[in-house]
Amino acid sequence: MSYFSNYYDEVRYPRETEEKKGLRKCQLGAIHAIASHFTNSNYPAIITMPTGSGKTAILMLSAFVLMAKRVLVLTPSRLVRSQIKEEFKELQTLLDIGALTNITDKPKVYELKNKILTEEAWNGLKNFDVVVATPMSISPAIDDIPAPPDDIFDLILIDEAHHSPAATWNEIIEAFPEAKKILFTATPFRRDKKEIKGKFIYNYSISDAYKDGIFGKIEYIQVVDIEGSEDIAIAKKAEEVFIEDKNAGFEHCLMVRTDRNKRAKELEKIYAENTSLRLKIINSDHSYRHVKSVIKKLNNGELDGIICVNMLGEGFNFPKLKIAAIHSPHKSLEVTLQFIGRFARTNAPNLGVAKFIAIPSEIEIEREKIYEEGAVWQEIIINLSESRIEEEVENKQTLSTFNCILNRDDETKDLSLASLVPFAHILIYSVDAFNIDTEVVLPSGLLLVNKHISKEYSMVVLIAKEIVNPKWTRLNMFQKIQYELFILYFHENSKLLFIHSTRRNEDIYESLAEQFSGVTKRKLSLSKINRVLTNLKNPEFFNIGMRNSIQTSSTESYRIITGPSAQKAIRKSDGRLFHRGHCFGKGTDDTGEVTIGYSSGSKVWSNSYLTIPQFIKWCNDIANKITSKGTTLTNSPLDFIPVSEEVNTIPDKYIISLDWNNETYKNPPIISIKNSSIDFDNIQLLDLELEVKDRYEGIVEIVFRYYDIEFNVHFSLENDRLFKSEDSLARSIFIKRQYSDISLLDYLNANPLVLYFSDFSSLIGHEYYRKNYDDLILIDEDALEPIEWEENGVDIQCEFGEASDGKISIHDFLNKYLSDRNFDFLYYDHGTGEIADFITAKEYDNRVVIQFYHCKRSGDKKAGDRVGDVYEICGQVIKSSMWTDLNKLKRKLRNRMNTHEKANDNPKNYVRDSYDRFLGVLASGETKMFEFEIILVQPGISKSGLSEKISNILAATDDFCVNQGYLPIRVFCSE
């Protein structure tokens, strides 16, 4: 029978009262929690108790309660090791309070001072009941130390357990898989966020310790009257406080705290020259004997204090240390709390308030400026400690809800979710449901190796790996394994799906969303994403993106402003041309200072790395903001840039044009047809022409046309999907993608077409972008150029082809009209997917002007006030705006010319300059400025009978062109 089993029946639980000694309330709670936990679990237990609350007594008592065979106690330092050895050797604390009775002999306790270097040395420890050691003398993580027999210890007690994730601590702990393990700490968290493995079974808060008189009063004394050296000012204040406490009858000692040996020597001289205090330096370079000697002199009153360099910290028990002169403040919460805990002990007579002397500073700990003027430490320290511990407890509770349902990789088989800290970056979808049990399919090359799910939190964590070769070789010897992380979190109340991916590939986001939620998923409108700025105060933006309100603009499609206070560079006039695209900055909200960014692609991010529980909280906060009705005004110039509005009905305005989504232009997809005999394969989607066929009862019927092939698609905001079709051809067309093809209809629902209205406002899915024309004037009459159509024998109701009554079409006339002028390049481009009906280029002294002519027939035999004529022709401006980029124009024109040559679809008497001639114009104008001009040819417009409404429409068109950087429009009209 072991020593502790033998004396198990001698354990008592006397409760401390004012009249007698005994176990404190917190000690009773802790020892009963330990006994309870190990009745049905062997999982490591975490006990959280503030410094000075009696952890050492519980540490010793647990060996009896658990009837340990042999105990290993791990401590962080030699001083603490020595103290615990003496406590265990004599058991005096437990005997004094009556927790042990009738003890006739004491346990055999061994203080391990040197490294274990042989198996014999390991076996030699079997002669003892308790071994007290630091990890550096016993851990197999140290090179010289052999692995121990796994049956030596059946109980491991870890003092100051926040060290346990360190390799030297962790390896000795895990060397005994069957042993019970109890981790004791006042600060169960780490600055590096590493997990302290174990289950919280008892948490005694600082506020309870303060109420129970265990954690003493603490006071921050600021040194503000400084003349000259700050160090001298602190030293004199420390002497003043020390003398005051001594005169008050307190047996207080002083610690002068600094962080470097050199500074300690400087401070020793400063205190010697400016105070009467008797001080000695101790640091890690000093021998154990020297340190103990100094502590003994301090205890005997031969010294007033010590100058300490990162010494006498956690676990060290010396209650007389009650005054701290802080010359170098700690900057992390855990170390600060450990430090303060040394001074807040109350387990000795003649002790007063613990006092901390320092210069006020801006140092922040957990967003609290604890050294600022007027800081009340009693409240701040308690709040900081408890909120941080509560967070850690909640983290463990959250992670305990996850189940690992797939684990097929040796490298990640022992993965703990606590070790994951994903960057705060997500793409958000609105979904109807979330199937957490989906069998995940990842893109080719990615092998899913870990899958964890929490049904309680509706979260899936996926880890995949890929074998990657460098681009510069195909030798396998240079291969490396690359791991990727994917997280899906479903917020039930808002029906929002948050996806994090270390591979920010749109196809992966889309695929994961479809697998877990189906094809009805939808990215959020910018108006909703913008709500992440809800209640953001004092914002300062570092990066702002403004998207041209015309999706296909090729002049300045996107403007980015960077720098501190980037919002100050925004002008009110920018709101005429741009809508908000993205922004990133900082500000304050209810949680304190935050960073936040978002983009129109339904993405949100913050400049931080989060644990999984923190990630859930962050997503919840975003979901609450997105669904809230709080203000999103930033009270900064960013508010000049409008945000789209979310609408559920199509605006009651005339649709003048349809265009592809900007994403389609950025990454032009290739389409193919399946299950059909039609030869329709490897065609670029942009080669299809779009046209509004009809509009009725909230539906827009759209025709997609490729020469003589066409099909219909219906667009509506009132259905579960934006784009639908009953047309068999439409349903058989697919978009080719890297990982898996998707149908054209699914693609359109993910990348909606752009509808432009008569005022050049636009609709993309549910997002409506208004145009602000508050100061818009009427069209300049000089822009209207009447043509003598009748005199030239033009049938103004015939755009092209054979006209009636011996007249000619508008195209025939314009061909002759332009051919008579001395252009350097002239090309006819009428047909499906055209740039414009006619394209010209003319080189001048210092510029080259490229003109696009768009022709439409009149709606009647005579010109008049018909908005239909104007709408149709103005819509052509948007279609050609994409091609005002010279590189895109070159590629498009070359493809158009090749298509025309093969199809032979242009009348032979129409001018066709060669592509080489066009390149020659570009080459000759390399040192000149290129300008674009759009000419609208519509005989149905009457200059003399121009109404205000039509003038407004033309003015909006002109405003669009000028804001895009083009020359003002010209209109070939009737008198």
Side-chain angles (χ1 to χ4, degrees), residues 661-865:
N661 192 289
N662 192 44
E663 183 63 32
T664 306
Y665 282 108
K666 284 167 56 179
N667 301 290
I670 301 298
I671 59 176
S672 65
I673 189 167
K674 299 181 179 180
N675 303 321
S676 175
S677 58
I678 298 176
D679 184 14
F680 201 57
D681 198 23
N682 292 325
I683 302 297
Q684 194 175 91
L685 184 60
L686 291 176
D687 287 337
L688 273 65
E689 191 171 77
L690 303 169
E691 181 182 321
V692 175
K693 182 179 182 181
D694 200 2
R695 178 175 178 177
Y696 54 88
E697 297 178 354
I699 294 175
V700 176
E701 190 173 351
I702 302 169
V703 176
F704 290 68
R705 186 178 294 114
Y706 185 73
Y707 291 93
D708 59 343
I709 301 172
E710 65 177 47
F711 54 88
N712 295 340
V713 172
H714 291 171
F715 168 74
S716 175
L717 298 181
E718 299 172 12
N719 299 322
D720 56 342
R721 305 194 74 202
L722 299 174
F723 294 89
K724 290 185 174 182
S725 180
E726 298 301 323
D727 192 313
S728 60
L729 179 57
R731 296 166 71 88
S732 63
I733 295 175
F734 285 76
I735 302 293
K736 293 188 173 183
R737 296 198 304 183
Q738 180 180 355
Y739 302 119
S740 61
D741 295 350
I742 63 167
S743 71
L744 173 63
L745 294 175
D746 285 346
Y747 177 83
L748 293 175
N749 280 288
N751 304 280
L753 297 176
V754 185
L755 279 66
Y756 287 100
F757 300 96
S758 54
D759 60 352
F760 282 82
S761 60
S762 59
L763 180 69
I764 309 175
H766 285 268
E767 292 190 75
Y768 179 55
Y769 297 86
R770 292 186 182 274
K771 289 294 289 185
N772 178 16
Y773 288 122
D774 292 341
D775 58 347
L776 188 66
I777 60 175
L778 301 178
I779 189 71
D780 186 346
E781 288 193 5
D782 290 341
L784 303 176
E785 301 180 20
I787 300 293
E788 295 178 343
W789 305 104
E790 185 69 28
E791 289 79 351
N792 285 286
V794 180
D795 180 355
I796 65 173
Q797 287 188 287
C798 179
E799 182 181 336
F800 62 91
E802 296 295 327
S804 59
D805 300 328
K807 293 184 177 182
I808 62 174
S809 68
I810 297 171
H811 282 204
D812 287 338
F813 164 76
L814 196 60
N815 173 47
K816 184 176 182 303
Y817 179 88
L818 297 176
S819 298
D820 291 342
R821 280 150 178 77
N822 188 26
F823 288 108
D824 297 311
F825 174 79
L826 174 59
Y827 191 79
Y828 180 62
D829 188 34
H830 179 67
T832 302
E834 68 185 29
I835 299 172
D837 291 314
F838 289 87
I839 304 170
T840 69
K842 177 70 175 177
E843 185 178 353
Y844 297 93
D845 291 340
N846 60 352
R847 63 192 182 122
V848 176
V849 178
I850 297 175
Q851 296 175 322
F852 294 155
Y853 290 81
H854 293 283
C855 306
K856 288 298 176 183
R857 69 182 185 87
S858 171
D860 198 83
K861 291 182 179 180
K862 292 186 178 181
D865 185 29

Side-chain angles (χ1 to χ4, degrees), residues 369-554:
K369 294 180 179 179
I370 71 169
Y371 290 101
E372 73 177 351
E373 191 171 341
V376 182
W377 274 28
Q378 199 72 51
E379 297 176 8
I380 293 175
I381 297 303
I382 289 175
N383 291 337
L384 281 175
S385 172
E386 294 187 2
S387 62
R388 188 68 178 84
I389 292 173
E390 285 173 11
E391 178 186 348
E392 200 65 29
V393 172
E394 188 177 339
N395 285 351
K396 284 192 176 293
Q397 291 173 342
T398 300
L399 293 177
S400 69
T401 68
F402 282 83
N403 292 317
C404 180
I405 61 174
L406 176 68
N407 193 345
R408 55 182 178 191
D409 182 58
D410 289 340
E411 294 297 323
T412 61
K413 66 179 180 181
D414 296 324
L415 175 74
S416 167
L417 293 186
S419 64
L420 301 183
V421 281
F423 185 67
H425 183 283
I426 48 176
L427 192 150
I428 310 174
Y429 290 93
S430 175
V431 299
D432 296 327
F434 180 67
N435 181 10
I436 198 169
D437 295 315
T438 293
E439 291 294 326
V440 184
V441 178
L442 293 178
S444 176
L446 281 175
L447 174 65
L448 183 62
V449 295
N450 282 95
K451 181 179 180 181
H452 296 75
I453 67 171
S454 169
K455 292 191 175 181
E456 182 174 336
Y457 286 95
S458 296
M459 176 177 269
V460 180
V461 179
L462 308 170
I463 296 176
K465 72 176 182 180
E466 181 181 29
I467 298 176
V468 181
N469 267 324
K471 294 180 180 179
W472 44 268
T473 182
R474 296 187 180 183
L475 292 175
N476 291 340
M477 64 183 292
F478 293 108
Q479 285 181 341
K480 67 175 181 179
I481 295 177
Q482 183 168 302
Y483 287 89
E484 305 290 352
L485 173 67
F486 307 97
I487 300 174
L488 295 96
Y489 171 63
F490 177 57
H491 188 262
E492 176 70 37
N493 291 339
S494 64
K495 299 294 183 184
L496 294 179
L497 174 62
F498 299 84
I499 301 180
H500 168 86
S501 173
T502 51
R503 281 200 180 178
R504 295 178 192 171
N505 181 297
E506 290 296 324
D507 285 354
I508 290 180
Y509 287 115
E510 288 289 315
S511 176
L512 288 172
E514 286 174 15
Q515 290 180 61
F516 283 88
S517 299
V519 294
T520 57
K521 85 301 190 249
R522 188 168 89 200
K523 290 181 181 178
L524 301 188
S525 64
L526 186 61
S527 60
K528 282 190 174 180
I529 287 293
N530 184 62
R531 291 179 192 169
V532 300
L533 300 182
T534 297
N535 297 327
L536 187 69
K537 301 176 182 67
N538 305 314
E540 179 183 355
F541 295 96
F542 315 125
N543 192 307
I544 295 173
M546 300 184 295
R547 186 176 63 188
N548 198 301
S549 55
I550 301 300
Q551 304 298 313
T552 56
S553 171
S554 59

Side-chain angles (χ1 to χ4, degrees), residues 217-221 241-242 244-245 248 250 252-255 321-326 339 343 352-357 377:
K217 291 183 178 181
I218 58 176
E219 180 183 349
Y220 165 48
I221 299 176
V241 171
F242 177 82
E244 285 178 357
D245 284 4
F250 297 126
H252 289 178
C253 295
L254 168 71
M255 175 192 283
L321 277 177
K322 299 296 285 186
I323 305 170
I326 305 173
F339 178 73
F343 296 81
V353 176
K355 296 171 182 176
F356 301 84
I357 304 164
W377 274 28

